[in-house]
Amino acid sequence: MFVRKNLVFALLTLSGISIGCVQSKTEPAYFADLVIVYGKVTLDGNPVSGATITFIPADMSQSGGIGTGVTVISGDYDLTTPQPGSLESQPKGIVPGNYKVTITKLQMPDGSPVPEGTDDAMAMAMDAREAIPAKYSDSDKTELLVEVDHTSPFVQNFELKSE
């Protein structure tokens, strides 16, 4: 959804700005505390591929910002902490803490995937719809809350149910 894309972009921007303010010529201290987080997303028992999973700090003053990932065909995901720079240099994992989680995925009205290379605005113009129920995909309504502890790797599976 276009609103979802704007929310993720705003969170990534805020995360990058707050991180940029504390970055020096060395890596920020919280990178040493990153916990590898991975798991699997299913909806009604079926793997969800191509979904964006976002861990948003429950307390926005939590250092380290958000974590994000995309599920593969098996529904598996792993998180990175978005930083300025290339996608290849993004640090794996997130800072321990309390997070609310959103899981989003656009699909065409007939249930088929959004065509490759189509951005969210274009997909919405083609009548794409959110495939994941709002209780998981909407950042204001999500019921998904996770406390990531210092155990690395931290495995968090999400077994979603249709409404």
Side-chain angles (χ1 to χ4, degrees), residues 31-125:
F31 279 161
D33 295 332
L34 292 181
V35 173
I36 301 299
V37 176
Y38 66 89
K40 184 174 191 150
V41 177
T42 59
L43 179 62
D44 297 326
N46 299 310
V48 178
S49 67
T52 300
I53 184 164
T54 307
F55 278 52
I56 305 164
D59 176 4
M60 288 306 285
S61 68
Q62 177 178 309
S63 65
I66 66 170
T68 188
V70 177
T71 59
V72 296
I73 197 162
S74 63
D76 294 320
Y77 73 93
D78 61 0
L79 296 181
T80 59
T81 298
Q83 301 297 307
S86 71
L87 292 176
E88 294 79 31
S89 66
Q90 301 301 303
K92 294 283 187 189
I94 59 175
V95 173
N98 294 310
Y99 293 88
K100 69 179 180 175
V101 178
T102 60
I103 301 172
T104 60
K105 178 182 177 175
L106 289 178
Q107 68 182 17
M108 300 309 295
D110 65 0
S112 65
V114 171
E116 192 84 22
T118 305
D119 66 18
D120 284 0
M122 180 61 86
M124 296 301 289

Side-chain angles (χ1 to χ4, degrees), residues 7 54 56 99-104 132-146 158 160:
L7 173 65
T54 307
I56 305 164
Y99 293 88
K100 69 179 180 175
V101 178
T102 60
I103 301 172
T104 60
I132 307 294
K135 64 183 176 182
Y136 310 120
S137 62
D138 186 313
S139 63
D140 292 327
K141 297 177 183 175
T142 186
E143 298 175 355
L144 304 174
L145 303 172
V146 175
F158 294 98
L160 312 179

Side-chain angles (χ1 to χ4, degrees), residues 6-17 66 68 81-83:
N6 286 340
L7 173 65
V8 170
F9 177 76
L11 290 171
L12 289 171
T13 301
L14 285 173
S15 176
I17 290 170
I66 66 170
T68 188
T81 298
Q83 301 297 307

